[in-house]
Amino acid sequence: MSLVELIARADARGLAGSGLACLDRCVPLLDGDDEILRPLWATLADDAPPGPGWARELERARGALAGPDASGEDEAVLLARRMLAAAPAECSGAGIRTWADACSVASLRIHRLLDPAGDAAGEDLRRQDGAEPPSPLVAAELRRQLTVLNALTGHGPAGLRRALEISTEGRRVLRAVVSRRARGRA
């Protein structure tokens, strides 16, 4: 099943987890601590649909990851900031689906921008048929997104552990890329 189809079929928890995983993998761009989004993940672990805890922890994360104004930041950082800013306070309905889809696209774009082997000028990879294969960093991000959605679909809270593991792995990879990129600019 394609990424677009998985997002279309996901429930609120799966959508919130998918969007959160994309954001979590991009935390190195926001100079965030690896544990900064852990409380948001915890709100998805209950058997009940995510409730007021999501909104409270989202605001806390926004405060902790607030950066300087947008002037001078590169496109990858701006995309990560927009992901966080666009997260809906209510973890249900069309808002969470729109956010999860936007996070997927933004995260793929970020990985494309940061991939030294890639071409940053590409379109939405998820919707291209017969297109050139994506660069290694982008292909890995696409696989992570598929794995996260598959883990969350039909597994409820039990799939969150696997989604968090995948997100942590991706965050480590992106942190290394960001570090290498910073050294190259220095």
Side-chain angles (χ1 to χ4, degrees):
M1 196 174 310
S2 77
L3 186 56
V4 172
E5 291 169 323
L6 285 170
I7 289 172
R9 293 181 181 190
D11 63 5
R13 178 180 282 109
L15 293 167
S18 174
L20 182 56
C22 289
L23 177 60
D24 198 2
R25 287 189 296 276
C26 295
V27 161
L29 292 167
L30 303 176
D31 294 324
D33 177 294
D34 283 354
E35 299 296 315
I36 196 72
L37 297 179
R38 185 69 70 142
L40 267 171
W41 283 103
T43 66
L44 300 177
D46 297 334
D47 285 331
W54 170 268
R56 182 179 58 253
E57 294 303 334
L58 179 59
E59 283 309 309
R60 190 189 65 70
R62 283 180 176 147
L65 294 172
D69 62 18
S71 63
E73 291 185 324
D74 68 13
E75 185 179 355
V77 175
L78 291 174
L79 287 167
R81 289 207 188 288
R82 285 186 203 132
M83 267 195 272
L84 179 59
E90 190 171 318
C91 208
S92 63
I96 198 71
R97 187 171 307 284
T98 300
W99 180 66
D101 189 58
C103 286
S104 172
V105 171
S107 186
L108 288 167
R109 175 79 179 144
I110 287 167
H111 283 75
R112 179 171 273 187
L113 288 167
L114 296 176
D115 194 333
D119 171 19
E123 296 298 317
D124 181 2
L125 292 173
R126 301 167 327 137
R127 293 175 172 88
Q128 290 180 351
D129 294 325
E132 235 179 84
S135 63
L137 191 64
V138 175
E141 172 60 11
L142 189 56
R143 279 191 307 275
R144 283 186 198 96
Q145 287 189 29
L146 287 165
T147 303
V148 164
L149 275 162
N150 280 318
L152 294 170
T153 302
H155 296 97
L160 285 173
R161 178 180 215 82
R162 178 73 178 131
L164 186 55
E165 289 169 358
I166 295 297
S167 183
T168 300
E169 170 200 340
R171 187 175 54 244
R172 286 185 193 128
V173 169
L174 197 63
R175 190 171 304 282
V177 169
V178 168
S179 177
R180 243 180 275 126
R181 186 177 187 215
R183 283 193 307 269
R185 288 183 175 175

